[in-house]
Amino acid sequence: MSFFNPKGASAKTSQKHVVDPALQPWVEKYRPRTIDDVSAQEHTVTVLRKALTSTNLPHMLFYGPPGTGKTSTILALSRQLFGPDNFRNRVLELNASDERGISIVREKIKDFARQTPRAQAVSSDGKTYPCPPYKIIILDEADSMTQDAQGALRRIMETYARITRFCLVCNYVTRIIEPLASRCSKFRFTPLDPSSSSLRLSHIAQCEHIDIDSAVIDTLIKTSSGDLRRSITYLQSASRLASSTSPPTAITSLDIQEIAGVVPESVINDFASTLGIEVEDAMDVGGSTKHNANSFGAIQSKVKELMREGFSATQILSQLHDLVVLHPTLNGRQKSSCALVFAEADKALCDGADEELWILEVGLRINKAIS
Amino acid sequence: MALWVDEFRPRTLDNLHYHQGLSTRLKSLAASGDFPHMLFYGPSGAGKKSRIACTLRELFGPGVEKLKIDQRVFLSPSKRKLEINIVQSNFHIEITPSEAGNYDRVVIQELLKEIAQTQQVDLNAKQRFKAVVINEADSLSRDAQAALRRTMEKYMSNMRIILCANSTSRLIAPIKSRCLLMRVAAPNYHEMETVLNYVAKRAPFTLPPEATKKIIDDSGGNLRKAILVLEALKMQSPDLSGPLAIAKADWETYCHKVADLIVGEQSPARVMEVRAKFYELLSHCIPPTVIIKTVAERVVERVDESLKADIMHWAAFYVRKIVGGLAVPFTHSCWPAQEVRMRIGSKKIYHLEAWVVKIMSLYKHFFYDVDMSAFD
Ligand SMILES: Nc1ncnc2c1ncn2[C@@H]1O[C@H](COP(=O)(O)OP(=O)(O)O)[C@@H](O)[C@H]1O
Ligand SMILES: [Mg+2]
């Protein structure tokens, strides 16, 4: 039997393919169903709510960091406009995972736009939906389209302006060419503030019947920096792990840190003190030779040790950065020369430079800056 | 006959020798029914792949070990044919996208879509999803990573992705935020000792403690390397007694020679000599980053304390130049792919050479005691 056994018309079968809600990832299970379920993003939601009542939609550009509700919002809005029955023939979702050669996009859009919308007044769920006389084309992850493709898209938008509304979704608004961006109403999605995240996470915990204390929620929020997708994923992973041990245990902040790939504080403190930074509780991590330890050899072998532990270099950098910036006794000049190193290293790592060499570089330069 | 690394590789999570905590977690995840997308990361030879294989077995049962290798043909956007080997069982599929070089996006896109549109046909299958293992995920181009992100959400019901990478720094945030991260640290001394003793017992022979120590010290935490070395040494000297010489890779010896040349003399003639050696190394597809790193580490062993930091600084500096402005990852199968990323057409030899000139002048000035602050 072959591994691949195409289902043929996948769209039809996948509707039947119902996922057991108990096994559904929580990010999907708790994806906002209506725009009112979308947390934070008040401004965007207010504007869209108005658009919903007038059913007159402009072309839109949603931008902002991952996990802030962009995809959820446009999906929810479309569902509220068209209802479950018409969703399929009125909304086209294309993303970077689909073939995005512009000729293909054009074909797809042309096909899609050509079909005459058949709207039923009353939907199978008994509700009525506005069902305005246009189709929505969602281009998710639009920032990974080439400039040429975006240019071509602009003409497509004009050609089909009467019967379609476009919604471009992206992380980096600067990657969208100006002529395209200027045709859209822009909506900025901001990282979720702690209280909105906290509310949403508590809501999910309650629905899933799990007990979590506020310290755990704080850790979730701290480790995911406003990315709700990440915090929900962490929460679900932690709950899976905690509930499958026998007997089931409660979720702790430590579990969350571990799942999130946070380097233990003791490890960072130990590294910092090898670099000659005074750390209050570095003493409990063994060894009393700390103070004459900051020689080249000591720093080099500490870096090798960190690499062997497999900690992510960017994670080490960001935690070390926080430690230095908030340090009580380092002076401004020392902190700013450290900050410079952090910035350089961040760039180098993004470009794919060797992690060990750069963590060593950071270590050596901090050591120099503060001694 | 299989190599020991393969022959004695643990097949189940219970049989893995170390990081028991991780194994327990993986077991409970596999049993929970809602297995997430996963990202395994950690240094080479720490046991990521074995752990993934054991996890698959835990998820799907022994059937997952029945592998077949297919050659598939993909078409690049310019209609060039790409032939890619794909390892698969009835329950999972494994790909190493760096084999597709610049066209990894095409391969990922096509394969995932294909899998997403198939359903598990085996009614006895323990899971309704299929697993897609992506090796060397940190060498995926940005394009390919972008292609993965929404797919990971959209097709969650019949597919799970398992990424394997040395580091997470090169993966884009949207991918990381869709995975459960599993850090696999290199085994410590004691853990490596246990494994080597286990291998010796299975082989079987007695392993003298001095040999164990020597192998572990040399391995830098790379268990695969340690077991390979053990097997090689055993062939050379069946009772593993007496002084054991662990052979270094040729390129490593060669890099050390370069370091010796640099420390030995600092002159334009020497630079030319070193350059010839660099060409030789590059032509054997040793990545420039690895060259600089190996040479630099050897040089610092041999110079005054006050020079060491500067030498490493310039190594980091030129390594960044080499990878800087990277447009497309460029990969070669003879090396862990992420080491070889660099801008196509960038003159890597210039950077290697510039680094050598820099450290030669540092070294020379050190002896003439010239104030170097103006060079910083
Ligand atoms: N503002 C929000 N309100 C409620 N849930 C959110 C919000 N932002 C993100 N989420 C949660 O995170 C998941 C991912 O959100 P999504 O809309 O796909 O983010 P993106 O901005 O990356 O498109 C959703 O399924 C939802 O559970
Ligand atoms: Mg999105």
Side-chain angles (χ1 to χ4, degrees):
Chain A
M1 182 65 64
S2 155
F3 183 90
F4 297 111
N5 184 29
K7 282 191 292 179
S10 63
K12 274 181 207 135
T13 26
S14 67
Q15 264 180 323
K16 283 185 225 147
H17 188 114
V18 192
V19 187
D20 179 353
L23 300 185
Q24 224 183 349
W26 294 355
V27 281
E28 293 304 327
K29 195 167 167 187
Y30 296 99
R31 203 183 262 290
R33 300 274 166 255
T34 68
I35 54 172
D36 294 307
D37 291 343
V38 174
S39 318
Q41 324 305 357
E42 282 88 9
H43 176 69
T44 303
V45 171
T46 315
V47 175
L48 292 178
R49 204 181 289 127
K50 284 211 190 90
L52 195 57
T53 43
S54 71
T55 71
N56 191 11
L57 231 53
H59 294 309
M60 293 175 293
L61 172 58
F62 288 5
Y63 65 98
T68 50
K70 301 179 297 298
T71 305
S72 309
T73 304
I74 185 60
L75 290 178
L77 182 70
S78 309
R79 205 166 284 117
Q80 281 174 278
L81 276 174
F82 299 111
D85 301 338
N86 295 315
F87 190 86
R88 254 167 212 291
N89 55 47
R90 289 301 191 87
V91 182
L92 176 65
E93 187 191 352
L94 296 170
N95 61 70
S97 327
D98 299 306
E99 183 49 71
R100 269 291 197 107
I102 190 63
S103 59
I104 299 194
V105 171
R106 188 184 293 122
E107 282 311 304
K108 275 202 174 148
I109 293 178
K110 213 157 78 189
D111 275 358
F112 179 72
R114 203 165 33 216
Q115 302 155 18
T116 25
R118 282 157 297 157
Q120 297 139 281
V122 179
S123 160
S124 57
D125 60 4
K127 296 192 191 123
T128 45
Y129 291 92
C131 238
Y134 49 77
K135 300 184 175 196
I136 293 185
I137 294 173
I138 304 172
L139 287 165
D140 209 339
E141 298 152 12
D143 39 5
S144 52
M145 292 178 88
T146 61
Q147 300 243 326
D148 288 350
Q150 291 187 33
L153 183 63
R154 179 186 132 197
R155 283 183 295 279
I156 298 176
M157 263 167 94
E158 276 162 7
T159 315
Y160 298 103
R162 224 174 37 79
I163 45 167
T164 57
R165 297 293 182 273
F166 280 79
C167 179
L168 308 183
V169 181
C170 66
N171 295 132
Y172 309 102
V173 71
T174 48
R175 301 245 182 95
I176 305 292
I177 59 171
E178 178 49 32
L180 199 53
S182 62
R183 283 178 166 66
C184 301
S185 304
K186 296 184 199 60
F187 294 92
R188 187 162 80 97
F189 285 67
T190 49
L192 267 74
D193 56 287
S195 66
S196 311
S197 303
S198 168
L199 275 176
R200 191 76 187 162
L201 291 168
S202 314
H203 166 73
I204 294 175
Q206 204 176 22
C207 296
E208 293 293 331
H209 309 293
I210 50 176
D211 262 342
I212 47 172
D213 54 44
S214 58
V216 172
I217 294 204
D218 285 347
T219 313
L220 278 171
I221 293 171
K222 224 172 114 190
T223 48
S224 52
S225 42
D227 178 344
L228 199 56
R229 177 190 291 108
R230 232 160 94 187
S231 41
I232 297 175
T233 309
Y234 293 161
L235 179 62
Q236 186 175 19
S237 306
S239 131
R240 275 179 186 125
L241 292 171
S243 64
S244 52
T245 54
S246 53
T249 49
I251 300 172
T252 66
S253 293
L254 223 62
D255 293 339
I256 306 290
Q257 292 197 334
E258 176 107 30
I259 288 167
V262 174
V263 183
E265 204 173 339
S266 60
V267 174
I268 293 293
N269 285 346
D270 185 36
F271 184 40
S273 80
T274 308
L275 304 182
I277 301 174
E278 265 179 52
V279 188
E280 279 166 32
D281 47 352
M283 285 309 152
D284 20 303
V285 278
S288 52
T289 51
K290 288 276 141 52
H291 285 288
N292 48 11
N294 46 34
S295 66
F296 177 85
I299 296 172
Q300 191 187 32
S301 60
K302 185 56 74 187
V303 170
K304 285 203 181 288
E305 198 180 304
L306 284 174
M307 293 294 112
R308 278 174 66 152
E309 284 297 312
F311 293 118
S312 136
T314 40
Q315 185 68 37
I316 297 176
L317 275 189
S318 98
Q319 289 181 237
L320 192 60
H321 169 269
D322 292 351
L323 186 147
V324 167
V325 169
L326 301 173
H327 197 276
T329 59
L330 292 177
N331 65 35
R333 196 185 45 78
Q334 291 170 320
K335 285 185 184 180
S336 58
S337 34
C338 291
L340 202 65
V341 191
F342 285 123
E344 273 179 49
D346 185 54
K347 168 87 171 63
L349 290 175
C350 268
D351 286 348
D354 187 81
E355 302 204 331
E356 185 180 332
L357 279 176
W358 272 90
I359 294 292
L360 180 62
E361 167 75 357
V362 169
L364 292 170
R365 281 177 54 191
I366 289 181
N367 179 238
K368 193 167 151 195
I370 64 173
S371 53
Chain B
M1 213 183 73
L3 289 169
W4 291 351
V5 264
D6 294 320
E7 196 177 343
F8 303 130
R9 187 197 289 276
R11 299 264 184 273
T12 63
L13 288 172
D14 286 327
N15 287 341
L16 285 169
H17 294 267
Y18 52 94
H19 299 340
Q20 248 81 31
L22 285 187
S23 308
T24 319
R25 286 163 158 254
L26 287 166
K27 249 181 112 160
S28 64
L29 284 175
S32 70
D34 59 348
F35 195 75
H37 296 307
M38 305 246 349
L39 164 56
F40 288 79
Y41 68 102
S44 300
K48 298 182 292 297
K49 272 205 187 169
S50 307
R51 209 161 280 270
I52 291 174
C54 294
T55 308
L56 289 173
R57 193 182 145 125
E58 188 76 30
L59 278 168
F60 299 104
V64 81
E65 287 171 355
K66 269 192 224 132
L67 295 177
K68 50 187 190 246
I69 300 178
D70 275 353
Q71 195 171 58
R72 292 279 308 270
V73 178
F74 296 90
L75 276 188
S76 78
S78 53
K79 303 282 178 270
R80 215 170 63 97
K81 276 190 181 164
L82 308 165
E83 291 183 356
I84 306 281
N85 287 323
I86 290 174
V87 177
Q88 61 182 48
S89 73
N90 281 336
F91 309 102
H92 85 293
I93 183 168
E94 206 175 315
I95 39 179
T96 306
S98 57
E99 283 178 29
N102 297 332
Y103 300 109
D104 57 349
R105 197 210 53 184
V106 179
V107 174
I108 291 275
Q109 235 166 23
E110 302 235 332
L111 269 180
L112 294 196
K113 202 158 283 171
E114 216 168 59
I115 295 166
Q117 292 174 359
T118 62
Q119 278 177 328
Q120 179 54 266
V121 285
D122 185 345
L123 291 175
N124 297 321
K126 284 169 74 182
Q127 312 290 344
R128 69 186 319 158
F129 60 82
K130 281 170 180 163
V132 179
V133 179
I134 303 182
N135 293 315
E136 294 171 18
D138 38 0
S139 73
L140 282 172
S141 65
R142 295 274 155 132
D143 263 7
Q145 294 188 35
L148 259 181
R149 53 194 224 198
R150 183 84 179 110
T151 314
M152 290 172 81
E153 291 182 342
K154 240 177 142 175
Y155 303 120
M156 185 84 185
S157 60
N158 41 5
M159 168 172 77
R160 294 293 188 281
I161 311 260
I162 300 181
L163 302 164
C164 180
N166 281 337
S167 106
T168 59
S169 300
R170 288 184 199 90
L171 290 169
I172 58 174
I175 295 224
K176 283 186 268 193
S177 83
R178 285 166 172 80
C179 293
L180 174 54
L181 273 57
M182 276 273 156
R183 178 173 61 89
V184 184
N188 64 26
Y189 189 95
H190 175 71
E191 291 161 340
M192 291 187 90
E193 201 176 16
T194 316
V195 176
L196 291 181
N197 283 328
Y198 167 81
V199 169
K201 202 171 128 205
R202 289 278 307 270
F205 62 92
T206 37
L207 178 58
E210 312 79 60
T212 317
K213 177 164 180 359
K214 180 126 195 177
I215 294 170
I216 296 176
D217 288 346
D218 176 73
S219 69
N222 185 329
L223 186 57
R224 186 184 329 107
K225 184 173 168 196
I227 299 174
L228 287 170
V229 166
L230 175 65
E231 188 167 5
L233 286 179
K234 178 83 174 85
M235 304 261 261
Q236 280 167 29
S237 138
D239 57 355
L240 291 167
S241 60
L244 296 169
I246 298 178
K248 289 220 178 309
D250 289 346
W251 63 266
E252 215 175 334
T253 318
Y254 216 76
C255 284
H256 286 177
K257 266 192 210 141
V258 172
D260 297 346
L261 285 175
I262 295 172
V263 179
E265 181 189 317
Q266 300 77 42
S267 67
R270 211 15 96 76
V271 175
M272 296 306 282
E273 242 177 286
V274 168
R275 165 201 277 192
K277 293 237 174 326
F278 281 155
Y279 267 121
E280 184 78 2
L281 284 162
L282 289 172
S283 74
H284 284 80
C285 50
I286 307 300
T289 295
V290 173
I291 299 177
I292 290 201
K293 200 167 149 182
T294 316
V295 175
E297 284 185 355
R298 174 76 164 193
V299 171
V300 293
E301 279 174 20
R302 308 198 38 196
V303 300
D304 188 82
E305 178 79 16
S306 61
L307 278 173
K308 295 179 191 227
D310 281 337
I311 287 169
M312 293 316 287
H313 164 71
W314 291 108
F317 179 88
Y318 281 105
V319 158
R320 187 189 51 187
K321 288 229 160 182
I322 287 169
V323 297
L326 133 117
V328 243
F330 167 66
T331 51
H332 195 289
S333 57
C334 76
W335 199 269
Q338 80 285 354
E339 289 282 346
V340 209
R341 311 171 128 243
M342 68 175 52
R343 185 161 44 177
I344 290 178
S346 79
K347 295 280 183 279
K348 38 200 165 178
I349 190 83
Y350 292 174
H351 295 310
L352 290 174
E353 221 174 88
W355 175 68
V356 169
V357 171
K358 189 84 209 174
I359 61 172
M360 278 188 177
S361 88
L362 274 173
Y363 192 73
K364 217 166 169 157
H365 281 85
F366 171 70
F367 283 109
Y368 293 103
D369 199 21
V370 171
D371 179 24
M372 287 299 294
S373 54
F375 286 79
D376 282 346

